[in-house]
Amino acid sequence: MRDESLLSDVLSELGDDRLRELAGELGTDPRGAETVVEATVSALPASTGEGTLAGVMGRISAPTAVAVAERTGLPVDSVSRALELLLPVVLSVIADHRRARK
């Protein structure tokens, strides 16, 4: 895990409603969605958050989806769709963490 506080903040930012939405996208329950969030945060490269949102998303989406699918056993296609919801939240929280460290 890169950072336990990052995971905690991402889960907080998602909240119950978006976590249920993510679970629905993945075809799992909210606990399964939390597992995907944890695997996603763990799978992201340390340089995530550097550059524009579109550039970062384009660079990390596919490899992150594959890594998360391998860790969770969920289909890559489902994980890819779920990352469309999840990655902007993760990147926002990473940006907040970086601002707080300055």
Side-chain angles (χ1 to χ4, degrees):
M1 173 70 50
R2 285 179 55 204
D3 185 345
E4 289 295 326
S5 68
L6 176 62
L7 174 61
S8 177
D9 289 349
V10 168
L11 289 170
S12 250
E13 183 71 25
L14 283 169
D16 292 339
D17 289 342
R18 284 200 281 179
L19 198 58
R20 279 192 296 276
E21 181 182 348
L22 183 62
E25 190 65 46
L26 292 164
T28 188
D29 59 14
R31 180 62 199 124
E34 285 182 25
T35 300
V36 168
V37 173
E38 183 177 342
T40 300
V41 170
S42 294
L44 292 174
S47 63
T48 300
E50 296 173 3
T52 65
L53 180 59
V56 171
M57 293 279 291
R59 215 173 44 243
I60 66 171
S61 292
T64 301
V66 170
V68 170
E70 288 174 358
R71 290 178 186 193
T72 63
L74 293 166
V76 174
D77 290 344
S78 296
V79 172
S80 293
R81 287 190 305 273
L83 289 182
E84 291 175 14
L85 169 74
L86 180 57
L87 283 178
V89 174
V90 173
L91 295 174
S92 173
V93 171
I94 289 171
D96 290 346
H97 278 225
R98 289 193 176 172
R99 278 191 293 276
R101 289 183 187 150
K102 289 183 179 181

